Amino acid sequence: SAARTREDVAHSSVKGRLDDAGPIDASSRFVVKAQTYDAAELLGSAEEARWFDGGRYAVVYLSPRDYHRVHSPVSGKITQVRSIPGDYYPVNSIGLRHVKNLFARNRRVSIVIDNEEGLGRVTVVMVAAMIVGRITVTGVEGRDVPFGVHHPTGARGDGAGIARGDEIGVFHLGSTAVVFVEEKVRGRFVVEPGAVRMGQTLVAGARS
């Protein structure tokens, strides 16, 4: 049979610490640090969550000393940005242990990226924390992303085109990014929990 080599599928969108990664079940639920989350709550949309039924997620924590910019894990178009109000609980180990459904309760911004190379939809959720005063996102004007749904437009009016590694958002201090990939992405997470670099391969598949 033909030799198969590893193919990079998605890169880490931030520099930080990979805290958790795993499957999303057929009802859009997943487990982070022994807490069960509903993807619809975190994403702010039941319709959006259905894209990731049977897919996977990864949680990367950014400490205050880390690089606070978020980059696209894949190439494609930013077709939707959803800015969701919420609390500002700390996202460190104490907050995760004591605040139920912490990520879904905190203020967050969901960035939808549609990939045209067979990966489908990848969504990056920027989760705010106690010391994060604001979040800015590429293609959305404002000192902070206004609450609600935004549709960045490119030259053809069909979404803001980006390459893998392009900046898509900034935390004004550190916090957490949660990356969702669809079931059709038949790769595997190749990063173990611990330090991760921006641009490091997060998901890899195989090709002939």
Side-chain angles (χ1 to χ4, degrees):
S1 61
R4 295 179 70 81
T5 58
R6 195 179 85 171
E7 179 179 26
D8 291 353
V9 173
H11 285 178
S12 175
S13 53
V14 295
K15 173 186 177 292
R17 184 184 72 228
L18 181 68
D19 269 356
D20 217 333
I24 304 166
D25 70 20
S27 60
S28 300
R29 299 180 74 80
F30 59 100
V31 179
V32 180
K33 303 295 185 186
Q35 289 201 38
T36 300
Y37 282 84
D38 186 322
E41 291 180 348
L42 182 59
L43 293 163
S45 165
E47 180 181 358
E48 175 72 8
R50 284 194 289 272
W51 284 86
F52 303 108
D53 290 351
R56 278 168 294 177
Y57 75 92
V59 177
V60 183
Y61 169 71
L62 290 74
S63 77
R65 66 177 179 274
D66 283 323
Y67 175 76
H68 302 142
R69 296 177 182 272
V70 178
H71 298 255
S72 182
V74 296
S75 60
K77 296 181 185 297
I78 299 177
T79 54
Q80 189 176 102
V81 174
R82 184 178 294 102
S83 182
I84 307 162
D87 297 313
Y88 290 84
Y89 290 111
V91 296
N92 55 23
S93 59
I94 295 173
L96 288 171
R97 189 162 58 244
H98 295 289
V99 181
K100 184 175 176 57
N101 291 339
L102 171 62
F103 295 144
R105 291 178 62 176
N106 271 18
R107 186 264 194 279
R108 56 209 180 277
V109 175
S110 171
I111 304 169
V112 176
I113 304 162
D114 287 325
N115 173 273
E116 298 173 344
E117 300 171 350
L119 303 183
R121 178 162 290 189
V122 175
T123 296
V124 178
V125 182
M126 298 175 65
V127 182
M130 182 172 63
I131 56 174
V132 180
R134 56 194 177 95
I135 295 172
T136 52
V137 170
T138 300
V140 179
E141 296 293 331
R143 184 178 179 275
D144 195 354
V145 183
F147 295 144
V149 178
H150 309 272
H151 298 278
T153 56
R156 295 184 297 173
D158 58 350
I162 52 169
R164 185 169 64 184
D166 282 355
E167 183 179 304
I168 57 174
V170 181
F171 284 115
H172 294 272
L173 284 181
S175 190
T176 296
V178 184
V179 180
F180 292 90
V181 297
E182 285 191 63
E183 183 180 19
K184 69 169 67 176
V185 180
R186 296 296 183 183
R188 61 186 180 87
F189 286 107
V190 294
V191 179
E192 296 295 326
V196 61
R197 302 185 309 276
M198 192 286 294
Q200 183 175 348
T201 300
L202 184 66
V203 181
R207 62 183 173 187
S208 300

